[in-house]
Amino acid sequence: MNISVNQERLSAELDTLATFSDAPAPAVTRVLWTARDLEARAYFQILCSEAGLSVRQDALGNIFARFEGTEPHLPAVATGSHTDAIPHSGRFDGCVGVLGGLEALRALKSAGFVPRRSLELIMFTSEEPTRFGLGCLGSRTMAGVLSPEKLRGLKDGDGIAFETARSAGGCSGELETVRLPEGCYHAFVELHIEQGPLLEKAGLPLGVVAAIAAPATLRLTIEGEGGHAGARLMPGRRDALLAGSELALAVEKAALSTGAIDTVGTTGFFQIHPGAVNSIPSRAQIEIDVRDIELERRDEVVGQIRAAWDEISERRGVSGALETLNADPPATCAESIVSASQNAAKALDLPFQKMVSRAYHDALFMARLCPTGMIFIPSKGGISHRPDEYSSPEEIKRGVEVLALSLAELAA
Ligand code: GLV
Ligand code: MN
Ligand code: MN
């Protein structure tokens, strides 16, 4: 099949999507159910309707755009990603998979391709954990890993209840209806930027993902004792920041202790109260992210962090319980999807390598519902979650072509 991807149109749409941002360009900030997120969602739905796809939204705001096949009762072949963006990040993470997925469906349509199985493009709600502390809210709930009760119990950093935020975001209906049965899709393929340096280093336009690493997220509020920075002497202080700092160092030590390049540990959130130069920090809020492609090794690192915290908190006389927000198992990509993507790359004469995804994606949870795979394109300098995140229009176009042919094979 001769696929013609409209690179200019796709670039222009990515540019427009990037303008829906709470940070000045080139940075992008688009957090779940903020005004900017709602603008992005509306824009995406308009583009899908203009492309002749039928659009629906579930109770959690996951958006589905469907290209009907000749046998619509068969489980569909799905693709998609997210358009939410963490504070001060870039314009390609997730968006390439959503707008690139749309361009793939448009290219298939204009090539005259008629799928046997329907094709469905999904824009997942809140892949990023920014607002409610938990990533992949949409796909996690679709896969039944996150229950409606748990969702309803969530509060954001400003204390806004999940249900209040959801209705302000224009979503209604029972959260119980979001979960999908296993086998509801025949296949899922997500196109994404690599977010790492390997493809660029290897000079390759394409990665076919074989496995997705597993994240665990820990949250902790440390309660120490505040006071006057001058009048309060050093002995006997119970400084929450210092306790948290020791823990952050313990996270680094635990991640390094495995000796495996695939183990990573990050203390990415650290906020102190009251935050004044002449006041001892009485409280610290911390979030820790630990990942590995091997579940046991990842959990061993989490165990070391817990043991370190027991010792630090006891010695420093501060309190606080380490809460596990999520501890997800890694996913293996299905051979059938890997092979469809490899076939597509070969048909397009594009060299590729098989690789691991060290970032998590909605594909991690879709893998619980159906055979799943991912296609990576290069990220300049391996940079992501930063305003200077970049993949060229040509790189994106090639990824979309591979996606389109993969979808065509899986839906034929
Ligand atoms: C997703 O954005 C991740 O943090 O891997
Ligand atoms: Mn991301
Ligand atoms: Mn992403």
Side-chain angles (χ1 to χ4, degrees):
M1 187 179 4
N2 231 335
I3 282 286
S4 160
V5 166
N6 189 332
Q7 184 181 308
E8 291 72 34
R9 172 171 62 186
L10 178 53
S11 289
E13 288 170 354
L14 283 164
D15 287 349
T16 301
L17 186 55
T19 65
F20 306 128
S21 167
D22 276 318
V28 178
T29 298
R30 194 161 47 238
V31 178
L32 175 66
W33 294 326
T34 57
R36 302 293 89 79
D37 179 49
L38 298 182
E39 285 164 5
R41 288 165 172 275
Y43 178 59
F44 172 63
Q45 296 192 53
I46 288 168
L47 292 181
C48 289
S49 300
E50 283 172 359
L53 307 174
S54 54
V55 182
R56 74 185 168 85
Q57 175 174 292
D58 72 10
L60 189 47
N62 293 305
I63 299 170
F64 304 79
R66 191 171 168 100
F67 175 5
E68 197 83 305
T70 54
E71 296 187 43
H73 56 282
L74 291 177
V77 170
T79 185
S81 196
H82 62 101
T83 58
D84 64 321
I86 66 164
H88 223 70
S89 60
R91 54 164 60 192
F92 300 98
D93 177 5
C95 300
V96 162
V98 173
L99 293 182
L102 173 60
E103 185 54 35
L105 297 197
R106 286 188 300 219
L108 286 170
K109 269 192 166 209
S110 52
F113 175 73
V114 182
R116 184 167 78 96
R117 295 175 182 277
S118 298
L119 289 168
E120 238 175 62
L121 169 63
I122 310 174
M123 195 225 71
F124 294 96
T125 286
S126 196
E127 189 266 354
E128 302 291 5
T130 315
R131 183 154 186 189
F132 288 100
L134 187 60
C136 299
L137 285 187
S139 52
R140 195 184 284 274
T141 308
M142 282 162 70
V145 177
L146 179 60
S147 68
E149 298 88 278
K150 272 255 171 73
L151 272 174
R152 284 190 281 264
L154 294 174
K155 275 192 165 58
D156 73 7
D158 296 325
I160 298 173
F162 183 82
E163 284 299 66
T164 308
R166 182 168 74 101
S167 43
C171 298
S172 55
E174 294 294 318
L175 287 172
E176 278 70 13
T177 57
V178 175
R179 183 173 184 175
L180 297 175
E182 215 182 308
C184 55
Y185 287 110
H186 175 67
F188 177 75
V189 198
E190 180 169 357
L191 171 66
H192 206 282
I193 57 169
E194 182 199 341
Q195 307 181 280
L198 301 181
L199 289 175
E200 186 182 68
K201 273 193 185 143
L204 292 171
L206 203 69
V208 175
V209 176
I212 307 170
T217 312
L218 308 174
R219 181 189 274 167
L220 170 67
T221 300
I222 304 172
E223 299 288 352
E225 193 181 17
H228 195 289
R232 188 83 190 245
L233 300 181
M234 294 307 284
R237 280 197 187 187
R238 299 195 293 122
D239 184 320
L241 176 140
L242 294 181
S245 304
E246 276 205 53
L247 180 63
L249 290 172
V251 169
E252 181 190 43
K253 189 170 165 208
L256 287 170
S257 75
T258 69
I261 195 76
D262 294 321
T263 319
V264 286
T266 308
T267 303
F269 184 85
F270 198 139
Q271 210 163 54
I272 54 167
H273 178 85
V277 70
N278 53 356
S279 181
I280 300 165
S282 61
R283 187 186 316 134
Q285 284 175 296
I286 289 182
E287 285 174 14
I288 299 164
D289 178 306
V290 184
R291 307 187 193 197
D292 206 315
I293 52 168
E294 281 185 25
L295 183 62
E296 275 166 38
R297 200 165 58 195
R298 202 265 329 266
D299 287 346
E300 165 69 31
V301 168
V302 171
Q304 283 184 42
I305 293 169
R306 289 191 168 282
W309 178 240
D310 288 346
E311 189 277 321
I312 296 162
S313 54
E314 167 88 28
R315 176 164 45 78
R316 286 190 169 270
V318 298
S319 63
L322 265 174
E323 180 194 354
T324 301
L325 293 184
N326 62 285
D328 304 310
T332 306
C333 294
E335 206 31 66
S336 55
I337 315 294
V338 167
S339 120
S341 299
Q342 286 175 337
N343 292 342
K346 284 174 195 158
L348 293 160
D349 223 0
L350 293 174
F352 61 88
Q353 72 177 39
K354 271 187 144 180
M355 58 197 305
V356 161
S357 171
R358 292 195 161 73
Y360 62 71
H361 302 283
D362 292 302
L364 184 66
F365 293 95
M366 291 306 283
R368 292 165 174 255
L369 291 173
C370 64
T372 289
M374 292 191 76
I375 297 163
F376 275 179
I377 58 164
S379 292
K380 186 165 183 237
I383 289 163
S384 185
H385 282 185
R386 270 172 43 179
D388 49 345
E389 183 178 78
Y390 183 74
S391 301
S392 72
E394 299 71 34
E395 287 167 333
I396 295 171
K397 176 175 184 255
R398 285 190 212 115
V400 172
E401 287 168 347
V402 175
L403 176 65
L405 290 192
S406 307
L407 296 173
E409 176 182 320
L410 292 163

